Amino acid sequence: MRKELRPKCSQAGFAGRLQLLGLDVDKNAVQRMECGKRTVSDIELKVIAQALGVTADELLREP
């Protein structure tokens, strides 16, 4: 199951949320992560999961 932010969030908005949690990314980095053109480190994965309100394991599960 794919997790989505409610309400929906732009890439720039999500980058801002990640920045507030200490992850230095911009909207272009978020876009590259979404399309698989940028590797996500374990530390980044933890912050992304926190921003989405899910566990890292949930993000890593196959659909």
Side-chain angles (χ1 to χ4, degrees):
M1 180 168 98
R2 184 177 171 179
K3 288 285 184 182
E4 294 184 14
L5 290 177
R6 299 282 183 214
K8 291 196 177 197
C9 182
S10 67
Q11 291 171 340
F14 190 61
R17 185 181 291 198
L18 294 174
Q19 290 169 6
L20 289 173
L21 294 170
L23 189 59
D24 187 22
V25 296
D26 61 15
K27 72 175 189 68
N28 295 321
V30 171
Q31 189 275 330
R32 290 191 313 271
M33 287 177 199
E34 284 182 350
C35 69
K37 293 183 178 180
R38 183 185 182 284
T39 303
V40 177
S41 73
D42 55 344
I43 295 167
E44 292 172 327
L45 181 66
K46 182 179 176 182
V47 175
I48 292 167
Q50 182 181 359
L52 293 172
V54 297
T55 66
D57 287 339
E58 288 177 277
L59 293 177
L60 295 172
R61 282 195 195 118
E62 292 291 327

